[in-house]
Amino acid sequence: MTATVTPLHRSAAPSLEPMMALVAADMNQVNSVILERMQSDVPLIPELAGHLIAGGGKRMRPMLTLACARLLEYGGARHHKLAASVEFIHTATLLHDDVVDGSGLRRGKRTANVIWGNPASVLVGDFLFSRSFELMVEDGSLRVLRILSNASAVIAEGEVNQLTAQRRIDTTEERYLDIIGAKTAALFAAACRIAAVVAERDESVELALDAYGRNLGIAFQLVDDAIDYLSDGATMGKDTGDDFRDGKVTLPVILAHARGSDEDKRFWRDAILGHKITDEDLAYATGLLRQTGALDDTLARARHYGQRAIDALGGIGGGKAKAALIEAVEFAVARAY
């Protein structure tokens, strides 16, 4: 397989619109599956699940499954249920994450745990995980089941790893990349890889799509890390500085701490331990991130992983599907600008 290196830039602002247009008809089928399978005789389940599922998310992960299937010229319908399964896994993890983080906003709306409480959010998350596995089993492919079930386990490991790293300023860059590779990138990778399975392509194509999704997922999370300090609540759809106040040691903090003076290091230690949580503390932290180049370098790393994602598609397919998948990477990175 020959790699085709595509530069990570374009004259117009990158967008998800080409991918959304590419998979629009398929996405209607996926949404029908989601709507059908989130139903229950227990009214709270569809009410709570619908609050998050209808909350304005881009559905990027299921769209990646559909777009990768289009890239491989798959003409069947198996990918509809599997894309819905991917979205259910993602939604379940969001419900659980908001409980763990004590989040109050997601996509600009109050989180389910704020409205219905933590127990209901956890249990409905469990329900959606169960629905996702039902859809995998109905597909009938042990390989698909292995890929998605493994991703689910890896995501949980990543979340636990992040929890144990919380408020630990000595977290290394290597450990942090392991965390986001698990909690974020694993589902991106699986969502893309299963398209090669349903299209009956060989393992080399599976691995290429896995690499595309994995690197895209890492780039996506690194940009999220940066915009937690760069953006505002209206733009982000969550509270500004949530990571800072929650004591999350993300890559910008790791870099700023490593490069800072002794005084800076004391500030970061106190902040991550929860002793510096005011708006003034957040502004000071953001200033340190800018002064040390930590934000710029985090975004540079995101661009690096984005380029790796694009390069992974070298030699696979072409046309509108490939162009849309490339632009999706550029969009993920450009969100910070």
Side-chain angles (χ1 to χ4, degrees):
M1 186 178 295
T2 304
T4 302
V5 178
T6 307
L8 189 63
H9 61 79
R10 62 180 63 243
S11 55
S15 167
L16 282 183
E17 290 297 329
M19 187 161 71
M20 294 170 68
L22 179 77
V23 304
D26 288 323
M27 201 65 209
N28 286 337
Q29 297 299 315
V30 173
N31 287 332
S32 294
V33 175
I34 290 172
L35 183 62
E36 176 191 350
R37 296 306 179 94
M38 63 183 260
Q39 298 307 313
S40 168
D41 292 336
V42 180
L44 178 59
I45 292 176
E47 184 182 1
L48 192 154
H51 171 79
L52 186 53
I53 289 172
K58 300 177 182 66
R59 302 269 172 92
M60 190 169 184
R61 293 152 189 83
M63 282 200 297
L64 286 170
T65 300
L66 302 176
C68 287
R70 183 66 66 89
L71 177 71
L72 302 179
E73 300 180 339
Y74 172 66
R78 288 171 60 192
H79 57 326
H80 296 152
K81 283 187 175 181
L82 293 177
S85 177
V86 166
E87 182 65 6
F88 278 150
I89 293 170
H90 177 55
T91 305
T93 61
L94 294 184
L95 286 169
H96 291 166
D97 285 353
D98 286 342
V99 170
V100 171
D101 296 340
S103 300
L105 280 179
R106 181 172 290 281
R107 300 167 186 158
K109 297 174 63 176
R110 288 193 302 160
T111 52
N113 53 298
V114 167
I115 299 172
W116 289 280
N118 289 341
S121 291
V122 170
L123 293 172
V124 173
D126 292 344
F127 173 84
L128 295 178
F129 264 126
S130 300
R131 282 290 194 240
S132 73
F133 277 88
E134 285 181 353
L135 291 165
M136 294 176 216
V137 171
E138 287 174 18
D139 178 73
S141 166
L142 282 177
R143 189 161 187 82
V144 164
L145 182 59
R146 184 178 301 114
I147 291 168
L148 289 177
S149 61
N150 176 257
S152 299
V154 169
I155 292 166
E157 288 176 335
E159 294 290 355
V160 174
N161 196 7
Q162 178 173 265
L163 187 64
T164 59
Q166 194 166 352
R167 303 203 182 281
R168 293 189 60 91
I169 195 60
D170 58 347
T171 301
T172 64
E173 181 175 346
E174 180 181 21
R175 183 178 181 187
Y176 189 65
L177 288 173
D178 285 343
I179 290 170
I180 66 173
K183 81 181 189 72
T184 302
L187 189 57
F188 276 84
C192 296
R193 183 170 186 163
I194 57 176
V197 178
V198 299
E200 299 181 346
R201 294 300 188 94
D202 61 33
E203 190 177 26
S204 65
V205 177
E206 275 189 46
L207 294 175
L209 292 183
D210 183 289
Y212 167 81
R214 194 171 304 278
N215 284 292
L216 169 57
I218 293 173
F220 191 92
Q221 185 60 58
L222 289 174
V223 172
D224 265 7
D225 291 349
I227 63 178
D228 189 67
Y229 293 92
L230 288 170
S231 192
D232 55 46
T235 303
M236 295 167 63
K238 67 173 187 175
D239 295 329
T240 309
D242 272 356
D243 290 348
F244 176 74
R245 293 187 177 91
D246 290 342
K248 289 184 179 178
V249 184
T250 57
L251 185 59
V253 173
I254 292 169
L255 296 178
H257 177 262
R259 298 169 181 177
S261 64
D262 289 343
E263 181 182 352
D264 294 343
K265 286 180 168 62
R266 283 193 296 273
F267 170 83
W268 285 117
R269 185 190 65 244
D270 290 343
I272 294 305
L273 287 175
H275 305 319
K276 303 277 188 180
I277 59 172
T278 67
D279 289 345
E280 291 76 14
D281 293 327
L282 175 60
Y284 186 78
T286 303
L288 291 179
L289 294 172
R290 293 183 185 278
Q291 292 166 24
T292 59
L295 288 172
D296 288 341
D297 286 349
T298 296
L299 294 174
R301 282 164 170 76
R303 289 192 295 273
H304 166 74
Y305 282 102
Q307 188 65 63
R308 287 178 62 173
I310 291 171
D311 294 346
L313 296 179
I316 303 178
K320 291 182 178 180
K322 189 166 186 175
L325 286 164
I326 289 171
E327 189 164 350
V329 176
E330 297 173 336
F331 166 80
V333 174
R335 292 176 303 139
Y337 296 95

